[in-house]
Amino acid sequence: MNKNKTFILLYCLLLVLSIISIVFTCNNYSYYKDSIVKVIDTEDKYVSSEVVTYGYKEDIYNQSIKAKILNGEDKGQIVEIENEYHKGEAYDQRYSKGDELFVTIYKKKGKIDKVVIDGYKRDKYVVILVVSFILIIVLIGRIKGFLSIIGVVLNILIFSLIVYCNGYKNIDLVLLSFVGSILFSAISLVLVSGVNKKTLSAVISSIIGISLITIISFIVIGITKYEGVRFEQMELLTRPYEGIFISEIILGGFGAIMDISISISSSLNELYEKNKRISRDSLKKSGFNIGKDIMSTMINVLFFTYICTGIANLTIYFRNGISISSMLREYISLEMTRALTGAIGIVITIPIAIYVTLFFYKRRAK
Amino acid sequence: MIKVLSLILLVLLLLIGGKRGLKTFITIYVNLFLILLLVIICGWGFNPLIWSFIISLIISLIVLFGLNGINTKTICSFGAVIVILLLFFVITLIFNNRLYVQGYTEENIEPISYVIYDTGLNMRNLAVSIVIIGLIGNIIDTSIAISSALYEVHVNNSKLTVKELFLSGMNIGKDILGTTTNTLFFAYLGSCMTLFIYFQDFRYSFSTIINSKIFAIEFSRIMLSGMASFIIIPLTSIIVSIVCKKNGGIFEKVENNI
């Protein structure tokens, strides 16, 4: 009961902190150098329709926005802004009352002449998302949820370090991701299951798994020379993207690989602790059974996580008259490559995790 | 390259998973087909909200009942998945209407010029269905993990009360929580790497990143699918405990008939 009370107390503290951070981001206008306005009134006027591809019609609207300046020297003044948008809002958007926007104010002889919208202020919603995520994970997972949050924060730090070292020190990204993933696995697995034998074997098997996946992707890339893969959004980068692509594959599948490793090593550990006389073969057999059980849904997790990013593009391409077969061949290739490599990683880690765990128990038995 | 990777995957799945491996492989491509179907339906101009719900239901039917068989565990999970889907449709709709994460930004537009992006399609609704499709895999995974573990507890110790069964479900959930967070986090990290390198190359400041649309698109997806897979833990536990205790035997009859 006492433990429960401490938890409730700490949770209330977290709740107060969350509310403070939300209130802060809702009122942080003076910390921004850019001018911020708040929309107080909008008026939409239909301008015209244009027939785009294949007879699809798109309506264009013009929006007159009345807004109040929230920071800077012109604070409190009411300005008028023009905003043109397409009904589908693919690029532009319709604003509504209460929205806060970043604007550039152009002046003529000290008077406000023209106000142009630069962007939308999203920070408070980002904070609300983070805060509700943390509150939910701690409420359901208690101390373990809290530890996972710490793990994520540490991993983000390592990730930023990787991006930083790559950008400023010109160290090879693939190498960095590989070294990074060793750190990632150590941190995350220790936080999830503590410092013990099963964590050690999970760390070792995920590192072996990730090395195999790296080797496999290098070989496949060597054979196929990226045939059929289109680096759609990566072409915006000002540097060669092959290395980035491989690092993305390494990191993307890594969470799933760790998940598989720790599940197998902790359940084999559990079986061994319950029955110390269990034979090597039956441990191995149970390991494969557990692996089979988790593998299919894990592969689905990766598949949907990756494939959903392609949906918007595919739908737009479809409306541009690109055929389904060429979509399958080309346009979904990046997402499919990630999903498939991740899936290979998951499957290949199952036997690795089993044999690594068994290796540790064999030595202990002697 | 995809053909080679698919082949490697198929061989590995057959070696390690046998018949179940083959099923998993087929499921991947059936799901891909369903996603393409959703794309075509949305492309024809039907409502993405309604159709992504229908497609998600079909996906969960296939993954739950096709891969794991029809039994008490999968029926309970299916119930939990439906509830979470409906809940997150509402939550995502609310958030997306405030975050404005529909459509494209200058960072993720394709540099080829012949694609027209304003095609009269409502991008706000499409953005919601993208989030929903992204989280369907997680919630099914978490829910089936909880319900099968909890069902084992129930079978091995049938004297537990509803409350005790629920609490042991929550205990199992705590273990799953950490690994789910990792899987999700790294999967998104993998798909966002390009983006972060882009931010660095173009010297985006912290406040620019936080307020940018492209960041919000990726970030809201991570957070919403994370939350969905956490909330489904207590939900599945409640459903399984109540079904096992109060309605004991109902689904076993269904099982026996099938």
Side-chain angles (χ1 to χ4, degrees), chain A residues 32 58 88-91 93 99 120 122-123 140 144 230 236 239 248 259 297 301 309 313 317 319-320, chain B residues 43 98-100 104 107 109-110 116 119-121 123-124 138 141 175 183 190 194 201 211 221 230:
Chain A
Y32 279 100
E58 178 80 59
E89 301 180 289
Y91 256 134
Q93 63 197 33
D99 289 355
Y120 178 64
R122 292 187 172 83
D123 57 356
I140 291 171
K144 278 190 179 157
R230 279 166 46 94
L236 277 175
R239 58 173 91 179
E248 283 193 343
D259 195 347
T297 46
V301 173
T309 52
N313 273 338
Y317 296 153
R319 285 182 76 99
N320 274 274
Chain B
R98 301 308 308 150
L99 264 170
Y100 295 139
Y104 292 86
E107 292 97 345
I109 205 101
E110 200 175 339
I116 297 164
T119 58
L121 200 69
M123 297 306 280
R124 279 199 196 186
N138 309 324
D141 181 38
D175 284 333
T183 312
T194 319
D201 279 358
N211 288 298
R221 274 219 321 269
F230 302 151

Side-chain angles (χ1 to χ4, degrees), chain B residues 185-256:
Chain B
F185 171 75
F186 280 101
Y188 279 103
L189 216 57
S191 57
C192 298
M193 186 117 183
T194 319
L195 184 67
F196 280 95
I197 290 175
Y198 180 90
F199 284 156
Q200 197 194 27
D201 279 358
F202 289 85
R203 302 280 183 274
Y204 274 43
S205 69
F206 181 70
S207 63
T208 319
I209 294 175
I210 287 285
N211 288 298
S212 71
K213 187 172 173 180
I214 181 92
F215 176 77
I217 292 175
E218 301 285 347
F219 193 74
S220 61
R221 274 219 321 269
I222 310 178
M223 291 292 143
L224 288 170
S225 31
M227 283 188 246
S229 47
F230 302 151
I231 295 177
I232 204 165
I233 294 174
L235 188 67
T236 315
S237 307
I238 291 174
I239 293 178
V240 174
S241 340
I242 290 176
V243 166
C244 283
K245 287 297 156 192
K246 296 269 157 78
N247 290 326
I250 285 186
F251 291 125
E252 274 84 351
K253 273 177 205 157
V254 179
E255 247 169 80
N256 292 336

Side-chain angles (χ1 to χ4, degrees), chain A residues 323-337:
Chain A
S323 71
I324 294 294
S325 60
S326 66
M327 273 187 203
L328 263 179
R329 239 189 353 261
E330 295 181 47
Y331 292 91
I332 208 168
S333 54
L334 207 60
E335 286 85 6
M336 272 311 271
T337 314

Side-chain angles (χ1 to χ4, degrees), chain A residues 79-351:
Chain A
V79 288
E80 288 204 357
I81 312 169
E82 294 290 311
N83 175 37
E84 197 185 77
Y85 68 89
H86 291 75
K87 206 182 169 208
E89 301 180 289
Y91 256 134
D92 33 27
Q93 63 197 33
R94 180 169 58 87
Y95 294 103
S96 34
K97 206 175 149 185
D99 289 355
E100 288 162 359
L101 318 170
F102 289 109
V103 293
T104 308
I105 300 172
Y106 294 98
K107 286 188 173 175
K108 230 182 216 168
K109 292 173 193 159
K111 271 194 160 182
I112 295 171
D113 180 44
K114 200 181 167 196
V115 182
V116 177
I117 301 173
D118 293 331
Y120 178 64
K121 190 168 179 285
R122 292 187 172 83
D123 57 356
K124 61 179 166 187
Y125 303 109
V126 170
V127 170
I128 290 174
L129 276 173
V130 176
V131 162
S132 25
F133 182 86
I134 294 176
L135 286 177
I136 289 175
I137 197 176
V138 175
L139 184 66
I140 291 171
R142 303 248 165 148
I143 186 75
K144 278 190 179 157
F146 186 70
L147 287 178
S148 323
I149 293 286
I150 291 181
V152 167
V153 171
L154 285 175
N155 286 339
I156 289 175
L157 286 179
I158 300 175
F159 179 71
S160 341
L161 203 68
I162 290 177
V163 175
Y164 173 83
C165 285
N166 176 55
Y168 291 94
K169 304 259 189 284
N170 260 328
I171 306 171
D172 184 48
L173 193 61
V174 179
L175 184 74
L176 276 174
S177 316
F178 191 75
V179 176
S181 54
I182 296 174
L183 282 176
F184 283 139
S185 67
I187 291 173
S188 323
L189 291 175
V190 165
L191 281 173
V192 167
S193 64
V195 184
N196 48 40
K197 267 244 163 80
K198 60 181 179 182
T199 311
L200 184 63
S201 61
V203 170
I204 291 175
S205 37
S206 39
I207 290 168
I208 298 176
I210 209 74
S211 323
L212 273 178
I213 261 302
T214 317
I215 294 168
I216 289 176
S217 36
F218 267 116
I219 292 174
V220 173
I221 286 168
I223 295 171
T224 58
K225 305 266 186 300
Y226 293 104
E227 185 219 321
V229 177
R230 279 166 46 94
F231 292 93
E232 289 147 9
Q233 47 165 300
M234 300 181 97
E235 281 167 10
L236 277 175
L237 293 172
T238 50
R239 58 173 91 179
Y241 39 72
E242 281 85 357
I244 300 173
F245 179 64
I246 295 175
S247 322
E248 283 193 343
I249 287 179
I250 295 178
L251 288 182
F254 194 60
I257 287 177
M258 284 197 301
D259 195 347
I260 288 278
S261 316
I262 191 72
S263 304
I264 286 181
S265 79
S266 63
S267 21
L268 288 189
N269 183 58
E270 195 73 23
L271 283 174
Y272 181 78
E273 293 297 326
K274 284 225 169 98
N275 177 11
K276 298 229 167 168
R277 263 180 270 161
I278 193 165
S279 76
R280 211 182 132 86
D281 278 337
S282 52
L283 262 184
K284 197 159 94 185
K285 208 178 153 209
S286 324
F288 274 107
N289 277 335
I290 297 163
K292 267 189 235 175
D293 269 352
I294 40 183
M295 127 191 122
S296 41
T297 46
M298 287 287 291
I299 290 177
N300 275 314
V301 173
L302 276 193
F303 176 79
F304 286 112
T305 311
Y306 285 134
I307 223 72
C308 75
T309 52
I311 291 178
N313 273 338
L314 290 180
T315 315
I316 293 289
Y317 296 153
F318 182 75
R319 285 182 76 99
N320 274 274
I322 293 171
S323 71
I324 294 294
S325 60
S326 66
M327 273 187 203
L328 263 179
R329 239 189 353 261
E330 295 181 47
Y331 292 91
I332 208 168
S333 54
L334 207 60
E335 286 85 6
M336 272 311 271
T337 314
R338 284 179 188 148
L340 287 174
T341 327
I344 293 175
I346 290 173
V347 182
I348 218 168
T349 312
I350 295 171

